Amino acid sequence: MKVVKFGGSSLASGEQVEKVYQIVSSDSERKIVVVSAPGKRFADDEKVTDLLISCADRCLKGEDTHDLIDTIVGRYQSIAEELHLADTIIIKIKDDLLSLLASDKTNPSAFIEAVKASGEDNNAKLVAACFKHKGLNAHYVSPKEAGLLVSNEPGNAQVLPESYERLYALRDQPGVIVFPGFFGYNIDGDVVTFSRSGSDITGSILANGVKADLYENFTDVDAVYAVNPHLVSHPREIRELTYREMRELSYGGFSVFHDEALIPAFRAGIPVNVKNTNNPEAPGTRIVSERKNTNGPVVGIASDDGFCSIYISKYLMNKEIGFGRKVLCILEDYGLSFEHIPSGIDDMTVIIRQSQIDETLEKELTARLIEELHADEVHVEHDLALIMMVGEGMRQKVGTNARASMALANAHINIEMINQGSSETSMMFGVKEAVEDRAVQALYEEFFSTAKV
């Protein structure tokens, strides 16, 4: 049995939905289909989810929403018309949306959650209607009916363990199940959404729940690439990588998956296959628990910007019990979360998201660190980018750090920070944002150039 998830770009038009039908109907093992809300049809288009959030906001302010309602319903209607579906499905979608917008608004957060989740919910109904119209035995199943229970954390819901036993019953349902992604229900029966890109999370949860043999995630690229294709022309495709590598790359800036999305599938040991809706015959990228390290020490390079570093130096820091705890307690007082803490015997650097700190807070934080820790030096370095090199093969390959450092030196790029996790699966370099792209290109050339691999 396969669980198959289709993203917003795969469902943005009738032509795309037709491709989805062909993919699902071509393989009887594709039993459960998870769908996103309709995505962008072209570069300047708006996603249906964004339109719904705007509509909910206006509704809460008592402003007119007729134009937005017409636009949202029109997106579904254009898909239905392309597929020659009966008007009944669009009437139902419009009625459901109007009922939601007229519902209780005493809890604004819960209201917005329900409205924005309707994008996936209504699209699942539309896709199920399309499949039926074409003769496929398919039906819509809601997360409430299936028993997908989640924590009451709007925009960041976590699946509750008891969901998995309930979801297993989906195996016994006949035909193809079309299931909306992005949300579940709390124990009070209210809609609660996952983080954005949450349909990936839904697919992963369902794959775990029904004990699928494979979780196929269809998107608009042939495979996961070793580097951002906007930075390197025709980058190498990754045929296979591990869950750990995928999570590290997602955290480092890869946008193929939300970095939490694969955890349910990982825990159940279910392989994931990333494939292209527009080219379904391409093998795509498989994400597995273990793989043979046959492609060199590095499998991919990711980067992200918007960081700053807090450098703290104190002679004999390593002899002072509780020094690190005191630093973290001060950060906690200001509600700051950290990303990394590389350290030496007399100094440590705390990497945080730059958006968390303004000029006033920076001065106050620096003064507290100096005063309470009796630090010799504290300063903040702004506008940093973090570049993540990832590969399970690093553990067996000597000299990876030296090669990377030399590649950056040859490109005249100064390294602000180096950090490597104890798992030796990833290596991180901090550089100035201004040279981020050049740094990524230099590392790609070093580790993926045919002449050097």
Side-chain angles (χ1 to χ4, degrees):
M1 175 188 290
K2 298 177 183 178
V3 171
V4 194
K5 177 261 174 181
F6 292 93
S9 61
S10 299
L11 299 160
S13 67
E15 180 184 4
Q16 289 299 99
V17 174
E18 174 66 32
K19 293 177 185 177
V20 169
Y21 166 74
Q22 295 296 336
I23 290 167
V24 173
S25 61
S26 69
D27 187 347
S28 61
E29 290 296 305
R30 289 173 174 141
K31 166 82 174 178
I32 299 175
V33 179
V34 178
V35 301
S36 298
K40 292 185 177 183
R41 296 160 294 184
F42 44 86
D44 296 329
D45 201 10
E46 284 194 84
K47 295 180 179 180
V48 166
T49 301
D50 292 330
L51 292 168
L52 286 164
I53 292 171
S54 297
C55 191
D57 286 339
R58 275 203 212 171
C59 205
L60 287 172
K61 294 174 184 175
E63 298 174 356
D64 183 73
T65 58
H66 284 91
D67 59 330
L68 275 175
I69 292 170
D70 289 344
T71 300
I72 293 164
V73 174
R75 290 291 295 275
Y76 293 104
Q77 187 167 1
S78 67
I79 295 171
E81 288 174 352
E82 282 186 70
L83 297 169
H84 308 292
L85 302 182
D87 291 340
T88 51
I89 184 61
I90 297 304
I91 293 170
K92 177 169 179 53
I93 287 172
K94 185 171 184 177
D95 287 347
D96 288 350
L97 178 58
L98 291 175
S99 295
L100 267 178
L101 295 174
S103 64
D104 180 35
K105 300 176 185 63
T106 54
N107 184 338
S109 175
F111 175 75
I112 290 175
E113 288 287 275
V115 173
K116 72 180 181 180
S118 71
E120 277 74 11
D121 200 45
N122 283 326
N123 211 28
K125 295 169 187 173
L126 178 61
V127 171
C130 167
F131 287 2
K132 283 183 184 178
H133 176 71
K134 292 180 172 294
L136 193 64
N137 179 17
H139 59 283
Y140 157 85
V141 173
S142 77
K144 178 178 278 188
E145 177 189 346
L148 178 49
L149 294 176
V150 299
S151 60
N152 192 32
E153 300 172 79
N156 192 37
Q158 306 295 312
V159 62
L160 298 183
E162 56 265 38
S163 295
Y164 292 114
E165 185 175 345
R166 300 179 185 205
L167 293 169
Y168 188 77
L170 293 174
R171 291 182 65 99
D172 299 326
Q173 293 201 22
V176 173
I177 294 168
V178 183
F179 199 101
F182 188 40
F183 71 97
Y185 286 81
N186 65 20
I187 57 175
D188 294 324
D190 299 321
V191 170
V192 189
T193 64
F194 300 115
S195 52
R196 291 298 289 263
S197 301
S199 293
D200 290 333
I201 300 174
T202 301
S204 188
I205 291 168
L206 290 179
N208 182 315
V210 301
K211 302 297 181 272
D213 300 304
L214 180 66
Y215 170 30
E216 292 182 311
N217 193 295
F218 279 84
T219 179
D220 54 5
V221 293
D222 278 350
V224 177
Y225 296 107
V227 71
N228 185 341
H230 295 298
L231 300 181
V232 175
S233 297
H234 308 294
R236 185 176 299 184
E237 294 180 359
I238 303 173
R239 289 289 169 231
E240 190 172 65
L241 71 165
T242 66
Y243 284 109
R244 186 195 297 272
E245 289 169 334
M246 187 70 238
R247 176 158 162 71
E248 295 271 11
L249 288 169
S250 295
Y251 168 77
F254 268 35
S255 60
V256 176
F257 278 110
H258 185 283
D259 63 350
E260 298 175 7
L262 297 183
I263 292 174
F266 163 71
R267 287 175 176 161
I270 297 166
V272 178
N273 198 178
V274 181
K275 292 176 72 69
N276 189 350
T277 305
N278 302 310
N279 185 21
E281 301 307 315
T285 299
R286 283 178 63 87
I287 304 168
V288 295
S289 296
E290 295 181 1
R291 68 177 179 86
K292 294 180 180 178
N293 296 313
T294 58
N295 58 341
V298 179
V299 72
I301 302 169
S303 67
D304 197 9
D305 54 27
F307 296 94
C308 67
S309 65
I310 305 169
Y311 174 79
I312 306 166
S313 175
K314 184 179 182 181
Y315 185 60
L316 298 179
M317 178 191 292
N318 65 315
K319 301 291 186 182
E320 187 173 332
I321 296 173
F323 189 90
R325 176 185 58 79
K326 292 174 188 175
V327 172
L328 295 182
C329 284
I330 293 172
L331 293 179
E332 185 179 2
D333 287 345
Y334 291 103
L336 300 175
S337 61
F338 71 91
E339 303 290 328
H340 306 278
I341 308 184
S343 63
I345 58 171
D346 290 328
D347 55 34
M348 66 188 298
T349 301
V350 183
I351 307 295
I352 67 172
R353 289 279 178 181
Q354 194 160 275
S355 58
Q356 295 185 93
I357 186 169
D358 58 22
E359 186 177 350
T360 302
L361 178 56
E362 180 182 324
K363 290 179 179 178
E364 188 176 334
L365 177 62
T366 301
R368 275 195 65 182
L369 290 169
I370 292 173
E371 180 182 352
E372 297 181 25
L373 301 174
H374 307 290
D376 298 325
E377 181 184 359
V378 176
H379 70 258
V380 179
E381 188 79 21
H382 293 278
D383 303 324
L384 295 179
L386 298 183
I387 300 172
M388 183 92 76
M389 295 198 323
V390 176
E392 300 269 10
M394 288 185 194
R395 283 180 288 202
Q396 290 83 36
K397 193 74 171 179
V398 175
T400 303
N401 192 336
R403 286 179 65 184
S405 298
M406 184 59 68
L408 293 174
N410 290 339
H412 307 290
I413 293 169
N414 186 51
I415 300 172
E416 306 289 335
M417 179 270 292
I418 300 177
N419 193 29
Q420 183 170 26
S422 57
S423 70
E424 298 183 51
T425 304
S426 64
M427 188 178 298
M428 180 174 291
F429 296 91
V431 301
K432 285 293 190 178
E433 288 181 353
V435 297
E436 175 188 352
D437 291 357
R438 283 202 296 119
V440 171
Q441 290 160 355
L443 291 171
Y444 181 85
E445 175 66 21
E446 174 63 33
F447 289 97
F448 292 93
S449 168
T450 304
K452 294 182 178 181
V453 170

